[in-house]
Amino acid sequence: MPSSVSQSPSADAGRSAQALLAAIENRSARVGVIGLGYVGIPLALASVECGFPVLGFDINATRVDRLNGGESLIAHIPDTRMREAVASGRFEATADFSRMGEADIVIICVPTPLTRQREPDLSFVEATARSIGRTLRPGQLVVLESTTWPGTTREVVRPVLESSGFASGRDFFLAYSPEREDPGNDTFSTRAIPRVIGGDGEAALTLAQAFYGALVVKTVTVSSPEAAEAVKLTENIFRAVNIALVNELKTVYAAMGIDVWEVIDAAKTKPFGFMPFYPGPGLGGHCIPIDPFYLTWKAREFDIVTRFIELAGEINTAMPHRVVDALAAALDRVRGRGLNGARILVLGVAYKKNVDDTRESPALKLIDLIEARGGHCDYHDPFIPALPRTRAHPRLEGRRSVALDEATLSACDAALIATDHDGVDYALVARRLPLVVDTRNALARAGIAGENVVKA
């Protein structure tokens, strides 16, 4: 055969994969992170700190400017890390998505919320895939990290990318590796958490494993992107179901005069066969309240009803209503008044303690429910100076945190602890208010008890 005849597509793919693998190994591969939020920022910083040049993409130009100015924008990530990343010359943020062709590795870290009908909303993923497709070039690795239903990588993302004329496995490489961020967790940072990886073909799997292997303590490969997508859903469904269980136990035990937190603390001393989960006022965050419904939606395609998951969702969704009922009952019993016209101080509006994240926070639902029944809410949260706009609670946008002082407390009929941030003066709250409804067991952990303290 004449030497001028071109190599086969598989040979071309092999060469481009080897070239990218070499670039990953010598840290010259440029990483493009799309979506600079609670997942994208830690990933970008970890990549920079491991020696990779990083180009971060976000549609919010103000956010881009602040990141390039050295702000981390996330409370639990110090600005010093971002300043060092910028100063190293290996990090740059941009709102110009036409530059995605500059990246050798493109990682999608965009939101996957639910619609009002509680069905998957992949609009951000689809729009991002279209943007990547406009600049896609041979030899790039594209990784989806956003949580989604099994099949999204190959059934949604791949067709959009291949509409460019390039083929997965021949011209570019496609993989799925679910994010596992736990904001505010000082024990498990991005680099300390193993990564699960599923590739659309062996070359994609090898490249994704090489990249994440350079960042994290361990990589775990599975047989397909679908399996990796299912891993993420399984992790979060496990948590959602177990939280629903203890939320139901809380209700049952409360009727019996038993403290569920005491029960859980005693049960967790068993060194096997038990894992502690804790009740609360509802589910929050970008994963647990949302991800289970991605599987229930996909299961309907196979004529399967996910009764266990849906029951857990019903229990967890009902918790804010139960808390407000408990608050109203306690006001009647302790204060001799109804919720209508009462002034309630909500302590903590972040979805979990010691973070500045209000996504899906049950505290926002609590405020809406209280005010729908004629009450008025102020809130105090040292991490959230003002409430951002949210899909579910747009009317709360701009409401500001009040000071936790004598003047604030003297104007309130009760406090409702929705998020148990450290550093809050719970002793002052319990001392100055006639009623404190605690959904997190914060006062008991602080050694504070009294007839004015009600657990809910």
Side-chain angles (χ1 to χ4, degrees):
M1 181 180 294
S3 59
S4 60
V5 175
S6 64
Q7 298 292 317
S8 67
S10 60
D12 292 341
R15 284 199 299 272
S16 61
Q18 287 300 318
L20 181 52
L21 184 62
I24 292 171
E25 290 173 348
N26 66 29
R27 303 297 191 268
S28 64
R30 194 171 200 185
V31 180
V33 178
I34 304 173
L36 298 174
Y38 287 88
V39 174
I41 288 175
L43 177 66
L45 288 173
S47 300
V48 168
E49 291 160 0
C50 288
F52 290 98
V54 174
L55 184 58
F57 296 88
D58 201 278
I59 59 174
N60 187 323
T62 299
R63 191 174 188 83
V64 164
D65 290 341
R66 292 176 66 186
L67 289 167
N68 285 330
E71 293 183 61
S72 82
L73 306 183
I74 299 176
H76 64 276
I77 297 178
D79 288 343
T80 52
R81 284 187 68 193
M82 185 57 68
R83 286 198 295 268
E84 288 169 0
V86 173
S88 73
R90 291 195 299 274
F91 176 80
E92 179 189 357
T94 181
D96 182 1
F97 281 65
S98 68
R99 296 182 61 188
M100 278 193 285
E102 299 176 22
D104 301 296
I105 302 168
V106 180
I107 305 178
I108 303 171
C109 304
V110 298
T112 47
L114 295 171
T115 66
R116 291 188 181 277
Q117 294 74 36
R118 304 195 75 78
E119 294 185 344
D121 178 0
L122 294 183
S123 58
F124 296 102
V125 170
E126 292 168 346
T128 300
R130 288 193 294 271
S131 293
I132 296 170
R134 286 192 284 271
T135 61
L136 192 66
R137 59 174 173 77
Q140 285 183 304
L141 169 66
V142 179
V143 183
L144 177 62
E145 287 202 2
S146 307
T147 305
T148 186
W149 45 265
T152 300
T153 302
R154 291 206 275 207
E155 295 174 27
V156 176
V157 176
R158 186 174 71 180
V160 173
L161 297 180
E162 289 187 332
S163 67
S164 65
F166 296 124
S168 176
R170 185 192 70 191
D171 304 303
F172 68 93
F173 308 97
L174 180 63
Y176 182 80
S177 180
E179 61 88 5
R180 281 176 157 176
E181 286 297 320
D182 187 14
N185 189 327
D186 295 330
T187 303
F188 293 105
S189 62
T190 301
R191 297 185 62 188
I193 303 171
R195 274 304 188 116
V196 174
I197 304 163
D200 184 26
E202 286 300 318
L205 182 63
T206 297
L207 291 168
Q209 185 180 20
F211 170 66
Y212 286 104
L215 300 188
V216 302
V217 63
K218 180 182 179 181
T219 58
V220 179
T221 60
V222 292
S223 60
S224 65
E226 291 82 1
E229 290 158 340
V231 167
K232 175 63 172 177
L233 291 183
T234 300
E235 292 169 357
N236 287 334
I237 290 169
F238 174 80
R239 294 176 67 189
V241 167
N242 280 281
I243 291 170
L245 173 62
V246 294
N247 276 331
E248 188 163 73
L249 290 176
K250 177 180 72 172
T251 302
V252 174
Y253 290 152
M256 299 176 180
I258 299 170
D259 186 334
V260 69
W261 283 278
E262 179 186 6
V263 172
I264 294 169
D265 285 344
K268 73 181 183 182
T269 62
K270 184 180 180 181
F272 56 90
F274 182 82
M275 179 181 294
F277 288 82
Y278 296 94
L283 292 183
H286 67 294
C287 285
I288 303 177
I290 295 173
D291 297 351
F293 294 102
Y294 271 68
L295 187 60
T296 61
W297 176 84
K298 185 65 174 178
R300 291 198 290 270
E301 179 182 324
F302 300 91
D303 294 327
I304 296 172
V305 178
T306 52
R307 289 178 291 175
F308 206 74
I309 298 171
E310 291 178 11
L311 176 60
E314 291 173 11
I315 293 170
N316 290 326
T317 300
M319 290 312 297
H321 297 269
R322 291 186 176 182
V323 168
V324 173
D325 286 343
L327 170 64
L331 277 169
D332 180 48
R333 184 177 65 255
V334 175
R335 294 286 285 160
R337 64 158 305 153
L339 184 54
N340 187 17
R343 196 172 195 94
I344 310 300
L345 176 63
V346 176
L347 292 176
V349 293
Y351 83 87
K352 64 181 288 190
K353 66 188 297 183
N354 303 333
V355 302
D356 59 346
D357 190 349
T358 61
R359 286 175 296 176
E360 306 298 325
S361 173
L364 305 184
K365 181 67 173 179
L366 291 170
I367 293 173
D368 269 347
L369 291 174
I370 291 168
E371 296 189 339
R373 292 173 63 166
H376 176 78
C377 289
D378 293 312
Y379 85 88
H380 171 77
D381 192 313
F383 295 88
I384 314 289
L387 292 179
R389 183 174 180 82
T390 61
R391 281 187 173 189
H393 310 281
R395 73 177 191 87
L396 299 181
E397 180 183 10
R399 190 172 298 195
R400 301 194 66 82
S401 175
V402 299
L404 192 63
D405 55 23
E406 296 282 354
T408 296
L409 295 175
S410 64
C412 292
D413 294 289
L416 174 61
I417 300 176
T419 309
D420 51 335
H421 292 308
D422 294 335
V424 174
D425 192 346
Y426 294 113
L428 173 65
V429 173
R431 189 168 62 250
R432 294 301 185 195
L433 282 176
L435 175 63
V436 182
V437 176
D438 187 356
T439 72
R440 300 287 190 175
N441 205 36
L443 297 186
R445 292 200 313 272
I448 301 168
E451 293 184 358
N452 64 327
V453 176
V454 175
K455 295 184 180 183

